[in-house]
Amino acid sequence: MSQRDTLVHLFAGGCGGTVGAILTCPLEVVKTRLQSSSITVYISEVHLNTVSGASVNRVTRVSPGPLHCLKMILQKEGPRSLFRGLGPNLVGVAPSRAIYFAAYSNCKEKLNSIFDPDTSQVHMISAGVAGFTAITTTNPIWLIKTRLQLDARNRGEKRMSAFECIRKVYQSDGMKGFYRGMSASYAGISETVIHFVIYESIKQKLLEYKSASSMDNEDEYEKEASDFVGMMMAAATSKTCATSIAYPHEVVRTRLREEGTKYRSFFQTLSLLVREEGYGSLYRGLTTHLIRQIPNTAIMMSTYEVVVYLLNG
Protein backbone atom coordinates (compact mmCIF):
# COMPACT_ATOMS: atom_id res chain seq x y z
CA MET A 1 0.00 0.00 0.00
CA SER A 2 1.42 3.38 -1.03
CA GLN A 3 1.80 6.32 1.33
CA ARG A 4 -1.05 8.08 -0.47
CA ASP A 5 -3.37 5.10 0.03
CA THR A 6 -2.51 5.02 3.73
CA LEU A 7 -3.31 8.73 4.06
CA VAL A 8 -6.58 8.21 2.20
CA HIS A 9 -7.64 5.49 4.65
CA LEU A 10 -6.52 7.63 7.60
CA PHE A 11 -8.55 10.61 6.41
CA ALA A 12 -11.59 8.54 5.44
CA GLY A 13 -11.61 6.71 8.76
CA GLY A 14 -11.36 9.98 10.67
CA CYS A 15 -14.22 11.53 8.70
CA GLY A 16 -16.46 8.52 9.20
CA GLY A 17 -15.87 8.37 12.93
CA THR A 18 -16.39 12.10 13.44
CA VAL A 19 -19.70 12.27 11.58
CA GLY A 20 -21.05 9.23 13.41
CA ALA A 21 -19.97 10.51 16.84
CA ILE A 22 -21.68 13.89 16.45
CA LEU A 23 -24.99 12.51 15.23
CA THR A 24 -25.30 9.80 17.88
CA CYS A 25 -23.82 11.53 20.96
CA PRO A 26 -27.11 11.76 22.96
CA LEU A 27 -27.63 8.02 22.66
CA GLU A 28 -24.04 7.45 23.78
CA VAL A 29 -24.67 9.45 26.96
CA VAL A 30 -27.87 7.54 27.76
CA LYS A 31 -26.15 4.22 27.14
CA THR A 32 -23.23 5.09 29.44
CA ARG A 33 -25.58 6.17 32.23
CA LEU A 34 -27.53 2.92 31.95
CA GLN A 35 -24.33 0.89 32.17
CA SER A 36 -23.09 2.65 35.29
CA SER A 37 -23.69 1.56 38.88
CA SER A 38 -25.21 4.94 39.81
CA ILE A 39 -28.30 4.70 37.59
CA THR A 40 -30.12 2.14 39.75
CA VAL A 41 -33.39 3.45 41.16
CA TYR A 42 -34.71 2.19 44.48
CA ILE A 43 -38.48 1.93 44.89
CA SER A 44 -39.90 1.34 48.35
CA GLU A 45 -42.99 -0.86 48.60
CA VAL A 46 -45.06 -1.14 51.80
CA HIS A 47 -46.65 -4.47 52.72
CA LEU A 48 -48.88 -5.24 55.72
CA ASN A 49 -48.14 -8.22 57.90
CA THR A 50 -51.55 -9.83 58.34
CA VAL A 51 -50.50 -11.72 61.47
CA SER A 52 -49.09 -8.97 63.67
CA GLY A 53 -50.55 -6.01 61.83
CA ALA A 54 -47.12 -4.41 61.50
CA SER A 55 -46.11 -2.82 58.22
CA VAL A 56 -42.98 -3.96 56.47
CA ASN A 57 -41.03 -1.90 53.95
CA ARG A 58 -39.49 -3.86 51.15
CA VAL A 59 -37.03 -2.05 48.90
CA THR A 60 -36.97 -3.25 45.33
CA ARG A 61 -34.09 -2.34 43.06
CA VAL A 62 -34.94 -1.64 39.44
CA SER A 63 -33.08 -0.15 36.50
CA PRO A 64 -34.79 2.49 34.37
CA GLY A 65 -35.22 2.02 30.66
CA PRO A 66 -33.68 4.23 27.96
CA LEU A 67 -36.67 6.58 27.71
CA HIS A 68 -36.88 7.03 31.49
CA CYS A 69 -33.14 7.70 31.65
CA LEU A 70 -33.42 10.23 28.83
CA LYS A 71 -36.32 11.93 30.60
CA MET A 72 -34.36 12.16 33.87
CA ILE A 73 -31.37 13.72 32.11
CA LEU A 74 -33.52 16.31 30.36
CA GLN A 75 -35.47 17.20 33.51
CA LYS A 76 -32.58 17.41 35.96
CA GLU A 77 -29.64 18.44 33.81
CA GLY A 78 -31.01 19.96 30.63
CA PRO A 79 -30.51 19.18 26.92
CA ARG A 80 -26.83 20.16 26.96
CA SER A 81 -26.07 17.15 29.14
CA LEU A 82 -26.93 14.89 26.22
CA PHE A 83 -23.71 16.09 24.62
CA ARG A 84 -21.48 15.55 27.65
CA GLY A 85 -18.15 14.10 26.59
CA LEU A 86 -18.57 15.17 22.97
CA GLY A 87 -15.33 17.17 23.11
CA PRO A 88 -13.10 14.22 24.08
CA ASN A 89 -15.17 12.06 21.75
CA LEU A 90 -14.38 14.30 18.79
CA VAL A 91 -10.76 14.59 19.86
CA GLY A 92 -10.50 10.82 20.08
CA VAL A 93 -12.79 9.47 17.40
CA ALA A 94 -10.94 10.88 14.40
CA PRO A 95 -7.47 9.58 15.37
CA SER A 96 -8.96 6.36 16.74
CA ARG A 97 -10.89 5.56 13.58
CA ALA A 98 -8.04 6.79 11.42
CA ILE A 99 -5.53 4.57 13.23
CA TYR A 100 -7.97 1.67 13.11
CA PHE A 101 -8.75 1.83 9.41
CA ALA A 102 -5.14 2.47 8.43
CA ALA A 103 -3.93 -0.48 10.54
CA TYR A 104 -6.73 -2.67 9.21
CA SER A 105 -6.02 -1.84 5.57
CA ASN A 106 -2.25 -2.24 5.91
CA CYS A 107 -2.53 -5.50 7.83
CA LYS A 108 -5.07 -6.91 5.39
CA GLU A 109 -2.86 -6.07 2.42
CA LYS A 110 0.15 -7.81 3.99
CA LEU A 111 -1.87 -10.87 5.01
CA ASN A 112 -3.40 -11.14 1.54
CA SER A 113 0.09 -11.76 0.22
CA ILE A 114 0.61 -14.57 2.76
CA PHE A 115 -2.79 -16.28 2.92
CA ASP A 116 -5.59 -16.67 0.42
CA PRO A 117 -6.78 -13.12 -0.30
CA ASP A 118 -9.81 -11.71 1.53
CA THR A 119 -10.62 -14.81 3.53
CA SER A 120 -12.27 -14.76 6.96
CA GLN A 121 -8.88 -15.56 8.49
CA VAL A 122 -7.36 -12.43 6.94
CA HIS A 123 -10.26 -10.25 8.07
CA MET A 124 -10.20 -11.61 11.63
CA ILE A 125 -6.47 -11.07 12.14
CA SER A 126 -6.58 -7.64 10.52
CA ALA A 127 -9.50 -6.52 12.67
CA GLY A 128 -7.82 -7.84 15.82
CA VAL A 129 -4.53 -6.06 15.11
CA ALA A 130 -6.33 -2.84 14.21
CA GLY A 131 -8.47 -2.97 17.35
CA PHE A 132 -5.50 -3.61 19.62
CA THR A 133 -3.56 -0.72 18.06
CA ALA A 134 -6.42 1.77 18.34
CA ILE A 135 -7.34 0.79 21.91
CA THR A 136 -3.79 1.03 23.21
CA THR A 137 -3.17 4.47 21.75
CA THR A 138 -6.49 6.15 22.60
CA ASN A 139 -7.75 4.63 25.88
CA PRO A 140 -7.02 7.78 27.99
CA ILE A 141 -9.34 9.82 25.77
CA TRP A 142 -12.21 7.37 26.20
CA LEU A 143 -11.75 7.26 29.96
CA ILE A 144 -12.14 11.05 30.14
CA LYS A 145 -15.19 10.85 27.87
CA THR A 146 -16.84 8.25 30.12
CA ARG A 147 -16.11 10.22 33.29
CA LEU A 148 -17.66 13.36 31.77
CA GLN A 149 -20.74 11.45 30.63
CA LEU A 150 -21.22 10.05 34.14
CA ASP A 151 -20.84 13.50 35.72
CA ALA A 152 -24.52 14.10 36.47
CA ARG A 153 -25.20 17.61 37.78
CA ASN A 154 -28.42 19.55 38.15
CA ARG A 155 -29.25 22.59 36.06
CA GLY A 156 -27.19 25.61 37.01
CA GLU A 157 -24.42 23.64 38.70
CA LYS A 158 -20.92 24.06 37.35
CA ARG A 159 -20.00 21.14 35.16
CA MET A 160 -16.64 19.41 35.27
CA SER A 161 -14.45 20.29 32.31
CA ALA A 162 -12.23 17.87 30.45
CA PHE A 163 -9.09 19.47 31.89
CA GLU A 164 -10.47 19.27 35.43
CA CYS A 165 -11.30 15.62 34.84
CA ILE A 166 -7.77 14.93 33.60
CA ARG A 167 -6.33 16.59 36.71
CA LYS A 168 -8.56 14.57 39.06
CA VAL A 169 -7.68 11.28 37.38
CA TYR A 170 -3.96 12.03 37.57
CA GLN A 171 -4.13 13.16 41.21
CA SER A 172 -6.04 10.07 42.34
CA ASP A 173 -4.46 7.30 40.26
CA GLY A 174 -1.48 8.73 38.40
CA MET A 175 -0.79 7.80 34.80
CA LYS A 176 -2.16 4.29 35.24
CA GLY A 177 -5.56 5.81 35.98
CA PHE A 178 -5.90 6.81 32.34
CA TYR A 179 -5.74 3.17 31.31
CA ARG A 180 -8.58 1.88 33.48
CA GLY A 181 -10.96 -0.28 31.48
CA MET A 182 -8.39 -1.14 28.84
CA SER A 183 -8.59 -4.85 29.68
CA ALA A 184 -12.32 -4.76 28.92
CA SER A 185 -11.59 -2.94 25.68
CA TYR A 186 -9.15 -5.68 24.70
CA ALA A 187 -11.89 -8.22 25.40
CA GLY A 188 -14.09 -6.13 23.13
CA ILE A 189 -11.76 -6.80 20.20
CA SER A 190 -13.84 -9.93 19.71
CA GLU A 191 -16.77 -7.67 18.79
CA THR A 192 -14.64 -5.86 16.24
CA VAL A 193 -13.42 -9.11 14.74
CA ILE A 194 -16.94 -10.51 14.41
CA HIS A 195 -18.16 -7.23 12.95
CA PHE A 196 -15.54 -7.00 10.24
CA VAL A 197 -15.70 -10.67 9.27
CA ILE A 198 -19.46 -10.38 8.67
CA TYR A 199 -19.11 -6.95 7.04
CA GLU A 200 -16.40 -8.04 4.62
CA SER A 201 -18.37 -11.17 3.76
CA ILE A 202 -21.50 -9.18 2.91
CA LYS A 203 -19.43 -6.58 1.07
CA GLN A 204 -17.79 -9.30 -1.02
CA LYS A 205 -21.19 -10.73 -1.95
CA LEU A 206 -22.36 -7.28 -3.01
CA LEU A 207 -19.27 -6.80 -5.18
CA GLU A 208 -19.74 -10.21 -6.76
CA TYR A 209 -23.35 -9.37 -7.53
CA LYS A 210 -22.26 -6.07 -9.08
CA SER A 211 -19.60 -7.67 -11.28
CA ALA A 212 -22.09 -10.29 -12.47
CA SER A 213 -24.58 -7.63 -13.57
CA SER A 214 -24.34 -6.14 -17.04
CA MET A 215 -25.50 -2.51 -17.21
CA ASP A 216 -25.13 0.47 -19.48
CA ASN A 217 -23.39 3.67 -18.34
CA GLU A 218 -26.51 5.38 -17.00
CA ASP A 219 -27.55 2.37 -14.99
CA GLU A 220 -23.98 1.99 -13.79
CA TYR A 221 -24.18 5.41 -12.15
CA GLU A 222 -27.35 4.43 -10.34
CA LYS A 223 -25.71 1.22 -9.25
CA GLU A 224 -22.77 3.15 -7.83
CA ALA A 225 -25.17 5.18 -5.69
CA SER A 226 -26.96 2.04 -4.53
CA ASP A 227 -23.62 0.47 -3.59
CA PHE A 228 -23.22 2.89 -0.68
CA VAL A 229 -26.70 2.04 0.58
CA GLY A 230 -25.67 -1.60 0.44
CA MET A 231 -22.53 -0.82 2.45
CA MET A 232 -24.66 0.90 5.10
CA MET A 233 -26.93 -2.13 5.37
CA ALA A 234 -23.93 -4.45 5.54
CA ALA A 235 -22.38 -2.39 8.32
CA ALA A 236 -25.63 -2.22 10.29
CA THR A 237 -26.24 -5.97 10.01
CA SER A 238 -22.72 -6.97 10.96
CA LYS A 239 -22.57 -4.55 13.90
CA THR A 240 -25.89 -5.75 15.29
CA CYS A 241 -24.70 -9.36 15.33
CA ALA A 242 -21.31 -8.49 16.83
CA THR A 243 -22.69 -6.18 19.51
CA SER A 244 -25.33 -8.64 20.68
CA ILE A 245 -22.69 -11.32 21.16
CA ALA A 246 -19.94 -9.28 22.83
CA TYR A 247 -21.92 -6.60 24.71
CA PRO A 248 -21.02 -7.50 28.35
CA HIS A 249 -17.52 -6.07 27.93
CA GLU A 250 -19.12 -2.64 27.41
CA VAL A 251 -20.78 -2.72 30.84
CA VAL A 252 -17.60 -4.00 32.50
CA ARG A 253 -15.56 -1.24 30.87
CA THR A 254 -17.90 1.51 32.06
CA ARG A 255 -17.81 0.15 35.62
CA LEU A 256 -14.01 0.03 35.57
CA ARG A 257 -13.86 3.66 34.45
CA GLU A 258 -16.16 4.99 37.17
CA GLU A 259 -14.62 7.34 39.71
CA GLY A 260 -13.90 5.80 43.11
CA THR A 261 -15.08 2.44 41.90
CA LYS A 262 -14.88 -0.87 43.72
CA TYR A 263 -14.18 -2.60 40.43
CA ARG A 264 -10.55 -3.54 39.89
CA SER A 265 -10.13 -5.92 36.95
CA PHE A 266 -12.10 -7.38 34.07
CA PHE A 267 -12.93 -10.78 35.57
CA GLN A 268 -13.41 -9.39 39.09
CA THR A 269 -15.91 -6.87 37.73
CA LEU A 270 -17.67 -9.51 35.65
CA SER A 271 -18.01 -11.79 38.67
CA LEU A 272 -19.16 -8.96 40.94
CA LEU A 273 -21.82 -7.82 38.48
CA VAL A 274 -23.30 -11.29 38.17
CA ARG A 275 -23.20 -11.90 41.93
CA GLU A 276 -24.70 -8.57 42.99
CA GLU A 277 -27.00 -7.66 40.11
CA GLY A 278 -27.60 -10.86 38.17
CA TYR A 279 -26.84 -11.83 34.59
CA GLY A 280 -29.26 -9.23 33.28
CA SER A 281 -26.89 -6.47 34.44
CA LEU A 282 -24.40 -7.54 31.77
CA TYR A 283 -26.84 -6.34 29.13
CA ARG A 284 -27.96 -3.06 30.69
CA GLY A 285 -28.18 -0.40 28.02
CA LEU A 286 -28.06 -2.92 25.16
CA THR A 287 -31.19 -1.53 23.51
CA THR A 288 -29.83 2.01 23.56
CA HIS A 289 -26.45 0.75 22.43
CA LEU A 290 -27.97 -1.00 19.43
CA ILE A 291 -30.14 2.01 18.58
CA ARG A 292 -26.99 4.12 18.63
CA GLN A 293 -24.51 1.68 17.12
CA ILE A 294 -26.54 0.65 14.09
CA PRO A 295 -26.89 4.16 12.61
CA ASN A 296 -23.46 5.18 13.92
CA THR A 297 -21.73 2.24 12.26
CA ALA A 298 -23.74 2.62 9.08
CA ILE A 299 -22.88 6.34 8.91
CA MET A 300 -19.22 5.72 9.76
CA MET A 301 -18.67 2.89 7.29
CA SER A 302 -20.58 4.51 4.44
CA THR A 303 -18.76 7.82 5.00
CA TYR A 304 -15.48 5.91 4.99
CA GLU A 305 -16.35 4.13 1.74
CA VAL A 306 -17.57 7.36 0.10
CA VAL A 307 -14.45 9.33 1.07
CA VAL A 308 -12.14 6.55 -0.15
CA TYR A 309 -14.13 6.35 -3.38
CA LEU A 310 -13.99 10.12 -3.96
CA LEU A 311 -10.30 10.49 -3.12
CA ASN A 312 -9.33 7.55 -5.31
CA GLY A 313 -11.32 9.00 -8.18
Side-chain angles (χ1 to χ4, degrees):
M1 181 179 287
S2 67
Q3 184 178 7
R4 182 185 181 280
D5 289 335
T6 300
L7 291 175
V8 166
H9 287 288
L10 277 166
F11 182 71
C15 288
T18 301
V19 173
I22 294 173
L23 295 179
T24 61
C25 185
L27 291 172
E28 169 75 10
V29 173
V30 172
K31 179 211 71 172
T32 303
R33 295 287 180 90
L34 288 172
Q35 290 175 342
S36 73
S37 59
S38 60
I39 194 63
T40 303
V41 176
Y42 293 88
I43 300 178
S44 179
E45 298 179 352
V46 178
H47 296 272
L48 293 178
N49 189 315
T50 56
V51 177
S52 63
S55 63
V56 178
N57 288 332
R58 187 180 70 184
V59 179
T60 303
R61 186 170 65 179
V62 297
S63 299
L67 292 178
H68 183 63
C69 182
L70 178 63
K71 182 180 178 181
M72 287 195 302
I73 293 173
L74 289 173
Q75 286 180 344
K76 295 183 178 180
E77 305 172 45
R80 288 183 58 189
S81 292
L82 293 176
F83 290 89
R84 295 286 292 159
L86 180 59
N89 208 356
L90 292 180
V91 170
V93 72
S96 175
R97 292 295 90 188
I99 291 168
Y100 183 92
F101 280 110
Y104 180 81
S105 299
N106 276 283
C107 186
K108 187 171 75 169
E109 184 184 38
K110 288 180 172 60
L111 291 175
N112 278 338
S113 63
I114 300 174
F115 304 104
D116 292 334
D118 292 322
T119 60
S120 295
Q121 183 182 21
V122 169
H123 296 151
M124 286 178 67
I125 298 174
S126 300
V129 170
F132 182 87
T133 304
I135 288 167
T136 304
T137 53
T138 60
N139 192 79
I141 299 173
W142 306 130
L143 179 127
I144 298 302
K145 181 207 72 171
T146 301
R147 290 284 179 91
L148 289 175
Q149 290 177 339
L150 293 176
D151 183 43
R153 310 212 179 181
N154 294 327
R155 293 173 185 264
E157 293 183 352
K158 184 180 178 181
R159 302 182 184 279
M160 181 170 60
S161 67
F163 291 108
E164 183 182 353
C165 184
I166 292 171
R167 181 176 56 81
K168 289 180 67 175
V169 172
Y170 183 76
Q171 287 179 343
S172 61
D173 298 316
M175 286 302 298
K176 68 177 182 179
F178 292 100
Y179 290 90
R180 290 184 62 85
M182 193 160 67
S183 58
S185 293
Y186 285 148
I189 291 176
S190 60
E191 177 183 333
T192 304
V193 171
I194 296 168
H195 162 51
F196 262 87
V197 168
I198 298 175
Y199 173 74
E200 291 285 0
S201 177
I202 297 175
K203 179 181 174 181
Q204 186 64 33
K205 295 295 183 183
L206 290 173
L207 292 175
E208 289 175 1
Y209 175 78
K210 175 185 174 181
S211 62
S213 302
S214 56
M215 298 181 175
D216 57 31
N217 291 335
E218 183 178 353
D219 289 335
E220 182 67 24
Y221 174 80
E222 294 177 356
K223 185 66 173 64
E224 291 289 351
S226 67
D227 281 347
F228 297 120
V229 177
M231 296 304 175
M232 289 182 70
M233 295 301 296
T237 301
S238 59
K239 193 63 177 180
T240 301
C241 296
T243 298
S244 300
I245 294 170
Y247 183 75
H249 88 273
E250 291 266 354
V251 179
V252 173
R253 182 172 60 195
T254 297
R255 297 297 179 93
L256 285 170
R257 288 175 175 172
E258 289 179 349
E259 185 176 2
T261 181
K262 60 185 175 182
Y263 307 108
R264 294 289 176 263
S265 65
F266 178 79
F267 289 107
Q268 180 259 356
T269 303
L270 196 64
S271 174
L272 204 58
L273 277 168
V274 173
R275 187 166 65 250
E276 293 183 350
E277 303 176 38
Y279 286 99
S281 64
L282 298 178
Y283 289 89
R284 278 171 56 174
L286 175 60
T287 302
T288 308
H289 188 62
L290 286 174
I291 293 172
R292 172 192 170 271
Q293 279 287 51
I294 293 172
N296 180 61
T297 303
I299 292 167
M300 181 182 70
M301 298 300 293
S302 58
T303 302
Y304 168 76
E305 298 285 356
V306 168
V307 173
V308 170
Y309 172 76
L310 292 175
L311 292 179
N312 286 334

